[in-house]
Amino acid sequence: MTRTLTAAALVLATAPAAFAQEMSQTTGLERGGQIGSEETFTGTVFVAPVFGPNMNDVSAGEVTFMPGARSAWHTHPIGQYLVVTAGTGWYQEEGQPKQIMRTGDVVFAPEGVKHGHGATDTTSVTHYAIQANEDGSAVTWGELVSDEEYNGE
């Protein structure tokens, strides 16, 4: 009987550890990344995943735009946050004047709002782009932002 109680106590004592999840770390080198597609970006853009959509279908990418580089017009079904971590860039809602974004700024694009963002013509910018998936998609891409639109002509 004593052995049975001891075994039961041991199982109960270790059970929570067996079901607990552990924290994890991914280094910058492990995250990888790639040059942005010419179908969705103009200029040189580097996109690196920060984390996948394993947290309630929310994902994030670290996006670096070289001077003059920008995204195509696009929308998000749930919206998107841009957290600027370095440099100076522009964002723009279609049909509105472009706005400046700087290190430390947070920009929110509501669901369905057609917009673009990227570097200025003379500075680079890096931001985290954070968005959620809906029905398996976090973004709907549109046409490239023209030079005239980008330059405010």
Side-chain angles (χ1 to χ4, degrees):
M1 177 77 164
T2 303
R3 284 187 187 165
T4 303
L5 289 175
T6 302
L10 183 60
V11 167
L12 290 175
T14 60
F19 295 107
Q21 294 184 0
E22 294 181 8
M23 294 178 69
S24 64
Q25 175 183 352
T26 305
T27 68
L29 291 175
E30 292 171 319
R31 290 190 300 133
Q34 62 189 16
I35 298 295
S37 166
E38 292 179 0
E39 295 175 5
T40 53
F41 295 102
T42 299
T44 303
V45 179
F46 186 76
V47 183
V50 177
F51 55 84
N54 58 344
M55 189 175 69
N56 292 329
D57 286 333
V58 174
S59 63
E62 180 182 37
V63 188
T64 299
F65 297 84
M66 298 310 294
R70 61 217 182 245
S71 71
W73 294 112
H74 60 285
T75 61
H76 300 277
I78 308 234
Q80 179 187 54
Y81 279 100
L82 303 175
V83 181
V84 183
T85 59
T88 302
W90 290 324
Y91 69 93
Q92 183 176 16
E93 183 177 336
E94 186 181 48
Q96 301 296 319
K98 62 187 172 191
Q99 304 294 316
I100 197 160
M101 58 182 179
R102 295 179 182 89
T103 303
D105 290 351
V106 176
V107 176
F108 178 67
E111 69 179 71
V113 171
K114 194 172 185 181
H115 68 283
H117 39 91
T120 71
D121 54 348
T122 60
T123 62
S124 63
V125 69
T126 299
H127 63 57
Y128 287 132
I130 305 166
Q131 55 279 315
N133 288 325
E134 182 176 74
D135 298 327
S137 177
V139 61
T140 300
W141 290 103
E143 65 280 358
L144 293 173
V145 173
S146 70
D147 289 342
E148 293 76 24
E149 292 169 316
Y150 174 75
N151 293 318
E153 298 172 7

